[in-house]
Amino acid sequence: MKTAYDDTNIFAKILRGELPAQKLYEDDATFAFMDIMPRGHGHCLVIPKAPSRNILDVTPDSLSAVMATVQKLSRAVVKAFDADGVTVQQFNEPAGGQVVFHLHFHVIPRFDGVSLKPHSGDMEKPEVLAANADRIRKALNDA
Ligand code: 5GP
């Protein structure tokens, strides 16, 4: 199976500044922002800037850069929300549960006894996303 990257996907538009996002972190190779339909308090996403559809076509260099940012964001969300743990998720192709076709990792703070909400469920209120993003950015700055 080989499917081409399509640069009209939502995350490519966010990277190009054509759609808004609650930005958390950016470096030369990666970008992190809040998920608008969070599965838990503080759910965020980490993507490479280089175009790749998913884990099947990403270059090792781009993947390494993304994983370093996933670790940064994982530590930041645990600190920001005093979380008990963190779940990192990543889906590939429709059969693998992927909905947006630009590689991304989900970073979701976890709390003892609290289950994840459904995938791509309810939209979060913009003011809640903004407040959570502020806490994560502060944790990143304090790191
Ligand atoms: P996946 O492709 O990993 O199955 O899921 C895509 C994820 O992107 C979902 O968690 C969904 O809530 C999130 N998402 C979908 N559209 C947008 C959007 O326009 N902005 C942001 N920030 N997240 C989105």
Side-chain angles (χ1 to χ4, degrees):
M1 179 195 58
K2 192 154 175 65
T3 312
Y5 180 79
D6 175 357
D7 74 358
T8 61
N9 72 75
I10 289 166
F11 296 165
K13 289 181 181 174
I14 287 175
L15 274 177
R16 292 195 294 267
E18 295 166 11
L19 285 177
Q22 273 292 345
K23 175 179 156 182
L24 301 170
Y25 174 84
E26 180 174 18
D27 59 27
D28 286 351
T30 69
F31 189 84
F33 55 105
M34 300 304 291
D35 193 302
I36 50 165
M37 290 170 266
R39 301 195 64 189
H41 199 58
H43 180 172
C44 53
L45 299 167
V46 180
I47 64 177
K49 288 186 174 175
S52 61
R53 184 174 163 92
N54 55 40
I55 199 110
L56 299 172
D57 65 342
V58 65
T59 64
D61 282 353
S62 184
L63 183 60
S64 308
V66 170
M67 290 316 297
T69 302
V70 166
Q71 187 185 43
K72 257 192 227 313
L73 267 293
S74 297
R75 289 174 171 165
V77 295
V78 166
K79 189 170 170 185
F81 301 103
D82 196 21
D84 302 306
V86 58
T87 294
V88 173
Q89 286 186 313
Q90 194 274 318
F91 305 102
N92 302 283
E93 299 299 329
Q98 186 175 11
V99 176
V100 178
F101 297 99
H102 180 109
L103 175 65
H104 54 279
F105 284 79
H106 299 258
V107 176
I108 312 172
R110 300 301 303 275
F111 304 90
D112 290 336
V114 180
S115 305
L116 287 181
K117 291 193 256 182
H119 184 50
S120 296
D122 294 334
M123 287 265 234
E124 186 52 276
K125 294 185 200 75
E127 59 271 25
V128 173
L129 288 182
N132 287 344
D134 276 346
R135 288 172 71 161
I136 298 170
R137 284 190 292 259
K138 183 170 185 313
L140 283 165
N141 285 336
D142 292 349

